[in-house]
């Protein structure tokens, strides 16, 4: 795991009870994890401003969220996180609090990270129907096949449908492009 020098310096400063008292530290750690998992229930960072300077709270919150996000992204468990923090010369009760909180919320952090992104949905099923169009409202003699295609997609365990209509030529072109994409993926997998 790679954290910036400023984040590591901020985590080191968090170990000092004169900067942030123990109660505020514990509340801030819990708030950071809950805000990452979307469970803050209407609370915001301003609730901490009365006990400590605003810049210190904002910096501490940023450092804590960076630590938790990177740990979840690297799929660390609490023991790996503890080892990493000790290798960075961070020890004490506050490090134990960080590791214990991470251990409790690890799965929900990883799940939340998995739901972020702009990945395309996976096609899991295809349904199609063939209609023969004899004439339309604009043309008296059409006489061509019309394919109605429905793709079933899945993204973040959510099923959605993509419906479209195409001609025989357009369907053949789609199938050709899909076969071409499969060939390219097979080439990449053999490298």
């Amino acid at each position: 795991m790679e954290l910036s020098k400023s984040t590591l310096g901020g985590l080191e400063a968090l170990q000092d009870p004169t900067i942030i008292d123990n109660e505020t530290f514990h509340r801030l750690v819990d708030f950071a994890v809950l805000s990452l998992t979307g469970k803050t229930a209407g609370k915001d960072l301003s609730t901490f401003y009365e006990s400590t300077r605003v810049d210190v709270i904002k910096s501490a919150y940023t450092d804590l969220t960076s630590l938790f996000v990177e740990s979840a992204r690297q799929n660390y468990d609490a023991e790996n996180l503890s080892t990493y923090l000790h290798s960075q010369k961070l020890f004490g009760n506050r490090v134990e609090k960080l590791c214990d909180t991470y251990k409790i919320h690890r799965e929900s952090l990883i799940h939340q990270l998995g739901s972020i992104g702009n990945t395309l949905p996976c096609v899991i099923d295809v349904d199609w129907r063939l209609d023969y169009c004899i004439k339309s409202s604009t043309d008296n003699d059409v006489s061509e096949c019309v394919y109605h295609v429905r793709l079933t997609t899945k993204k973040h365990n959510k099923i959605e449908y993509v419906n479209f209509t195409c001609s025989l030529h357009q369907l053949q072109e789609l199938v050709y492009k899909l076969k071409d994409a499969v060939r390219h993926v097979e080439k990449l997998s053999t490298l």
Side-chain angles (χ1 to χ4, degrees):
M1 177 166 58
E2 287 293 320
L3 293 175
S4 68
K5 289 182 180 181
S6 64
T7 300
L8 289 172
L11 291 172
E12 185 177 343
L14 279 175
Q15 303 306 305
D16 186 0
T18 60
I19 296 174
I20 294 180
D21 62 83
N22 281 332
E23 180 187 340
T24 305
F25 174 78
H26 289 285
R27 287 180 34 230
L28 189 59
V29 168
D30 292 335
F31 179 80
V33 170
L34 293 176
S35 69
L36 288 171
T37 57
K39 301 175 184 172
T40 55
K43 296 179 184 175
D44 64 5
L45 203 54
S46 64
T47 59
F48 296 95
Y49 295 164
E50 61 212 31
S51 60
T52 312
R53 291 188 359 232
V54 173
D55 61 329
V56 172
I57 292 295
K58 286 183 178 181
S59 175
Y61 175 76
T62 303
D63 297 333
L64 290 171
T65 55
S66 296
L67 174 69
F68 290 136
V69 166
E70 277 300 307
S71 299
R73 191 174 72 80
Q74 297 291 332
N75 201 18
Y76 274 25
D77 58 11
E79 186 176 311
N80 288 350
L81 178 60
S82 177
T83 303
Y84 174 76
L85 292 173
H86 288 144
S87 72
Q88 300 299 320
K89 311 280 189 284
L90 299 171
F91 303 97
N93 293 337
R94 292 188 175 194
V95 170
E96 290 176 23
K97 168 66 177 168
L98 291 172
C99 294
D100 291 342
T101 303
Y102 177 73
K103 182 178 181 179
I104 293 167
H105 298 282
R106 178 178 176 261
E107 293 302 319
S108 57
L109 283 167
I110 291 173
H111 177 71
Q112 187 70 19
L113 281 178
S115 67
I116 297 171
N118 58 355
T119 59
L120 297 173
C122 294
V123 176
I124 58 174
D125 195 19
V126 177
D127 293 321
W128 62 276
R129 184 182 83 229
L130 170 62
D131 287 339
Y132 190 77
C133 184
I134 297 171
K135 68 180 190 174
S136 70
S137 63
T138 59
D139 194 2
N140 282 338
D141 187 28
V142 175
S143 300
E144 69 178 34
C145 295
V146 176
Y147 291 89
H148 301 277
V149 181
R150 180 173 125 175
L151 302 176
T152 306
T153 62
K154 185 176 184 180
K155 183 175 181 181
H156 306 305
N157 294 326
K158 184 179 177 185
I159 304 288
E160 293 183 355
Y161 301 100
V162 177
N163 298 308
F164 60 92
T165 304
C166 59
S167 67
L168 176 61
H169 176 70
Q170 291 169 327
L171 185 62
Q172 287 172 337
E173 190 175 324
L174 174 66
V175 169
Y176 173 75
K177 287 184 179 185
L178 288 172
K179 286 181 180 180
D180 192 38
V182 168
R183 279 194 301 274
H184 284 296
V185 169
E186 286 173 350
K187 273 186 190 177
L188 290 174
S189 67
T190 59
L191 294 178

